Amino acid sequence: MRLAIVTTHPIQYYAPIFKLLHERGNINIMVFYTWGEQSKQKYDPGFDTTIRWDIPLLDGYPFTWVKNTSADPGTHHFSGIVNPELISQVQEWRADAILVFGWAWQSHLKAIRFFKGRIPIFFRGDSTLLDERPGLKNLVRSIYLKWVYRHIDHAFYTGSNNKAYFKKYGLRDDQLSFAPHAVDNERFSADRRDEARRLRHKLGVADDDILVLFAGKLESKKSPQLLLDAFLQLDKKGVHLLFTGNGVLEPQLKAVAVEASGVHFMSFQNQSMMPVIYQASDLFCLPSKGPGETWGLAVNEAMACGKAVLVSDAVGCAADLVKNGINGAIFKRENKEELAAHLDALTRSTKQLSELGKNSADIIKNWNFRSIAEAIEARATAENKR
């Protein structure tokens, strides 16, 4: 089975899957990167910086850069990915099936439409119904999405919210396979405690203090201001809050926190440093209000580091990964009082947080790259036998 994989650019959550598929050798793959070679590094407006990941994302699997002729290249709009040669390149490679990551770009949707009925079309996306609201706009969108997904033969869903989305828009159970959203659990769980301890001391966080962590873009949809307000409401000694990342809300957050003790800021940190930051913390919080927090892979990362987690119900992974009282808690989006109450309860003791963190590590073990690779191989093999 020769599987063509169409995706926009190298991503730290997908490149290891491609490498694993190639190493296992059960199917032949070729990855077609549609953003073009300039996507090896990119300006991220959310972080307000040019990002070049410091872990290898192009090693260990076959790939090709597809020329992108868009006047404004990028994933931020439908016409940002335009590849006149994509279909011919996939055909020349003699693909038996195609796996497309995301349909919301011109070339991806064009490829899906072209190959429908020619070869099996697999799909990967993580959209949910969490942000949907009734109304005419949603009705029109629903009709359009049902048309899009009529072109898909099989989809790999990331979790229960994603599965519900696919089923609403026309895919049957026999057209769906579970391929969990995952991170490199081994890299995040590797012992970095000495570095983490040094980081805590650098921040002025004592060994028996509690450190709450927010890691991500400081933007409205992730609600860092809500977390800061709830934290300041606690006014607890020995409890600290660390914001790691940059974004448009950074000046506002720093202005509010300027006279508060126990609030710390770190700029955007690359992948090699993130396990240290998670391991330096005791509780990870993702307070997003959305829209668009379809999963929240930072939660996987924190759990792989053995940390308790506190998330809003707008976070896509909450339904699958966060168990109230087992490894953390879930609060209603934009509800500061409920967030503050959970923060208060969770930060009562380091022993409690340690136990919750151990449960996180146990829960996340099976949410791994191997499970994704096996799901893709199983579907590809089944199609090859037809």
Side-chain angles (χ1 to χ4, degrees):
M1 162 64 79
R2 295 168 65 84
L3 178 65
I5 299 174
V6 175
T7 188
T8 54
H9 60 290
I11 298 174
Q12 69 271 28
Y13 304 118
Y14 294 147
I17 302 168
F18 305 153
K19 181 180 180 182
L20 186 58
L21 285 168
H22 183 64
E23 288 174 347
R24 288 164 63 90
N26 295 319
I27 57 176
N28 295 322
I29 68 163
M30 174 63 74
V31 179
F32 296 82
Y33 283 122
T34 56
W35 192 335
E37 192 165 0
Q38 68 270 23
S39 66
K40 286 191 291 185
Q41 65 178 31
K42 65 186 184 75
Y43 175 75
D44 190 309
F47 282 124
D48 191 26
T49 188
T50 297
I51 296 176
R52 188 182 184 99
W53 299 116
D54 63 355
I55 57 174
L57 298 181
L58 295 172
D59 294 350
Y61 63 92
F63 68 90
T64 187
W65 303 108
V66 184
K67 185 177 180 181
N68 184 8
T69 61
S70 171
D72 180 19
T75 56
H76 55 295
H77 65 127
F78 182 76
S79 298
I81 305 294
V82 180
N83 314 110
E85 299 174 2
L86 173 61
I87 290 172
S88 62
Q89 285 183 243
V90 173
Q91 288 179 310
E92 288 169 9
W93 189 69
R94 295 181 293 109
D96 298 309
I98 185 171
L99 168 58
V100 181
F101 282 69
W103 59 263
W105 302 289
Q106 185 185 104
S107 284
H108 289 215
L109 184 58
K110 184 177 180 181
I112 288 170
R113 295 184 64 193
F114 177 84
F115 286 109
K116 176 62 176 175
R118 290 180 167 91
I119 57 176
I121 299 173
F122 306 152
F123 183 78
R124 177 73 160 182
D126 63 2
S127 296
T128 72
L129 304 173
L130 292 175
D131 301 315
E132 292 201 349
R133 299 291 182 269
L136 179 60
K137 184 178 180 180
N138 187 59
L139 177 61
V140 173
R141 182 172 179 272
S142 178
I143 294 170
Y144 181 71
L145 288 174
K146 287 179 180 178
W147 171 78
V148 169
Y149 288 113
R150 279 201 296 270
H151 294 81
I152 303 301
D153 296 303
H154 203 88
F156 300 101
Y157 67 92
T158 60
S160 57
N161 281 318
N162 185 218
K163 183 179 183 180
Y165 166 89
F166 282 134
K167 292 190 72 172
K168 177 177 179 179
Y169 293 118
L171 294 180
R172 306 180 307 271
D173 282 324
D174 63 335
Q175 292 179 285
L176 297 169
S177 294
F178 178 47
H181 247 330
V183 302
D184 190 342
N185 290 341
E186 292 182 1
R187 182 168 68 83
F188 281 94
S189 62
D191 189 353
R192 307 284 293 275
R193 284 177 294 181
D194 288 343
E195 295 167 88
R197 191 176 298 110
R198 289 195 293 270
L199 175 59
R200 285 173 67 97
H201 291 170
K202 183 178 179 181
L203 294 171
V205 180
D207 290 340
D208 57 351
D209 286 348
I210 290 173
L211 179 60
V212 180
L213 172 66
F214 172 97
K217 297 173 183 177
L218 301 178
E219 61 184 1
S220 178
K221 86 169 187 178
K222 293 187 179 290
S223 297
Q225 183 67 60
L226 185 75
L227 175 57
L228 178 59
D229 291 344
F231 176 82
L232 294 177
Q233 184 173 307
L234 289 182
D235 193 26
K236 271 189 176 182
K237 290 184 178 180
V239 180
H240 299 251
L241 172 61
L242 171 61
F243 289 101
T244 300
N246 301 98
V248 294
L249 296 181
E250 184 176 354
Q252 176 184 331
L253 294 168
K254 288 182 174 179
V256 172
V258 67
E259 296 183 2
S261 61
V263 181
H264 314 273
F265 292 86
M266 292 179 66
S267 294
F268 166 83
Q269 301 294 310
N270 219 311
Q271 283 292 294
S272 63
M273 184 62 182
M274 287 309 300
V276 175
I277 295 171
Y278 286 116
Q279 291 183 34
S281 72
D282 300 285
L283 170 66
F284 177 75
C285 183
L286 184 57
S288 302
K289 65 178 180 181
E293 195 68 83
T294 53
W295 186 260
L297 281 160
V299 177
N300 293 60
E301 294 172 347
M303 290 175 64
C305 290
K307 301 303 169 181
V309 288
L310 173 59
V311 305
S312 79
D313 60 3
V315 177
C317 72
D320 298 289
L321 298 185
V322 186
K323 316 297 181 184
N324 279 305
I326 304 298
N327 71 320
I330 303 170
F331 71 94
K332 186 174 178 60
R333 72 182 81 184
E334 299 188 81
N335 190 321
K336 185 179 71 172
E337 299 307 317
E338 190 174 339
L339 171 55
H342 281 302
L343 276 176
D344 182 46
L346 289 168
T347 57
R348 286 175 186 167
S349 77
T350 55
K351 181 180 179 181
Q352 173 190 228
L353 286 170
S354 178
E355 289 301 315
L356 296 174
K358 289 177 183 177
N359 293 336
S360 278
D362 287 338
I363 292 169
I364 208 64
K365 283 179 180 177
N366 293 326
W367 294 72
N368 55 49
F369 292 143
R370 179 175 293 275
S371 296
I372 303 172
E374 289 174 349
I376 294 172
E377 290 170 349
R379 188 67 243 163
T381 301
E383 289 292 346
N384 202 36
K385 290 180 179 179
R386 288 191 175 187

